[in-house]
Amino acid sequence: MNHQQHQIKIIDQIEKQIKANSLKSSTVSPVTNFENDSRICLTSVHFPALDLMSYISKSIINPLKKISPEHYYYSDMSFHITIKNIRVIHDPPNFTPKNIKTVQGVFSKTIPFHKKFKVYFYRLLLFPNNLALMGTTEQELDNIILDLDKCLTESGVPDDKQYVNSKYFFCNMTLARFNSDVNQKFVKTVQELSKNIKIDPYIVDSVSLITANAVLSKLQIIDTWKMSHPREDGDPDA
């Protein structure tokens, strides 16, 4: 199997765990009011380009809002692609200003030396408490995450999130969060929308270190780094 096929296999395994109510990764538990959620995380994300956000809003979120307006839906102000968690959401936060400075130093020495990479968004996935847009990627995402993992651990601020997998990491964007059960019409519409997703390969070319709650209503951007251009074929350093 190639890299993306391995990623798809893991995403399929996650779907099976969800259906069996045995999901092994860390998740965000629901609250009554997501925007006022006082639980804060330290994480790194990519803020997507306008054309991708526009497609998601028009083709996925708007149809779902018409069916189930009671759920919390992300907007252009909160869309993000998670790159690497450092501290999961918690009240009070599980990190200090000193931790933030340490992590900022790690990212400054790591991210600019990694290549931008492509994401291939291809399906929707219903988790117990949220809806996500899932994407496979080029192998560079693994290189970035494993490099950051090593450097964060050495710096004394390791990632505290529990993952299903230790390689073949993929991209996902949370589109909605639920604090009540979804109905069958919503589920069927998600399945139909998932089959009809048509998104061009998307290039992730920057990473931002942030603190925020799950829906980014309490967002603080610590720093942002651009990633290097991929080497061209024939480059003697490739």
Side-chain angles (χ1 to χ4, degrees):
M1 290 191 291
N2 63 28
H3 189 77
Q4 290 170 34
Q5 288 170 330
H6 278 291
Q7 291 173 316
I8 290 171
K9 183 178 179 181
I10 289 169
I11 292 168
D12 289 345
Q13 288 172 350
I14 291 171
E15 184 174 34
K16 289 178 182 177
Q17 289 179 9
I18 293 168
K19 290 178 178 177
N21 199 27
S22 61
L23 188 61
K24 298 174 182 177
S25 60
S26 301
T27 58
V28 176
S29 57
V31 292
T32 304
N33 189 319
F34 285 106
E35 289 204 350
N36 289 335
D37 188 359
S38 59
R39 298 171 299 173
I40 302 295
C41 67
L42 175 62
T43 190
S44 61
V45 303
H46 170 77
F47 293 107
L50 186 59
D51 56 347
L52 177 57
M53 293 192 292
S54 177
Y55 175 89
I56 292 169
S57 293
K58 292 177 182 176
S59 301
I60 302 173
I61 288 183
N62 287 352
L64 292 173
K65 266 186 178 179
K66 291 178 181 178
I67 296 168
S68 298
E70 69 274 16
H71 301 310
Y72 182 91
Y73 295 92
Y74 283 64
S75 68
D76 290 0
M77 300 298 292
S78 54
F79 286 137
H80 63 281
I81 301 168
T82 301
I83 302 298
K84 176 64 177 167
N85 176 77
I86 299 99
R87 288 287 185 266
V88 297
I89 63 167
H90 195 268
D91 183 13
N94 282 329
F95 55 89
T96 65
K98 184 180 178 181
N99 292 150
I100 294 174
K101 283 291 184 186
T102 299
V103 173
Q104 186 178 13
V106 168
F107 274 67
S108 294
K109 294 175 182 177
T110 306
I111 296 299
F113 300 97
H114 279 279
K115 299 177 289 185
K116 60 179 71 174
F117 61 90
K118 290 179 181 176
V119 183
Y120 307 93
F121 290 111
Y122 74 102
R123 66 163 297 180
L124 298 173
L125 183 58
L126 268 173
F127 287 83
N129 302 314
N130 68 281
L131 171 68
L133 174 64
M134 313 299 287
T136 61
T137 71
E138 295 179 302
Q139 190 170 340
E140 185 65 10
L141 177 59
D142 262 24
N143 298 338
I144 293 168
I145 289 175
L146 295 174
D147 197 4
L148 286 172
D149 254 338
K150 178 176 178 292
C151 294
L152 288 168
T153 299
E154 290 174 352
S155 74
V157 194
D159 184 352
D160 67 349
K161 186 174 181 178
Q162 182 178 355
Y163 296 91
V164 171
N165 51 306
S166 58
K167 62 186 301 189
Y168 304 119
F169 295 99
F170 50 85
C171 277
N172 71 87
M173 289 179 65
T174 302
L175 306 184
R177 291 196 178 277
F178 318 128
N179 51 26
S180 60
D181 292 338
V182 297
N183 58 45
Q184 278 305 305
K185 188 173 183 181
F186 184 91
V187 173
K188 288 182 180 179
T189 303
V190 166
Q191 292 169 345
E192 290 167 5
L193 293 172
S194 185
K195 291 175 184 176
N196 294 309
I197 285 175
K198 293 181 176 64
I199 300 176
D200 291 334
Y202 179 81
I203 296 175
V204 171
D205 60 358
S206 66
V207 177
S208 295
L209 180 66
I210 67 168
T211 62
N213 63 12
V215 299
L216 269 60
S217 64
K218 300 179 183 293
L219 171 67
Q220 285 192 313
I221 299 175
I222 309 301
D223 208 341
T224 299
W225 299 269
K226 285 286 187 181
M227 300 154 81
S228 63
H229 290 278
R231 295 188 181 103
E232 299 294 335
D233 290 342
D235 187 327
D237 294 330

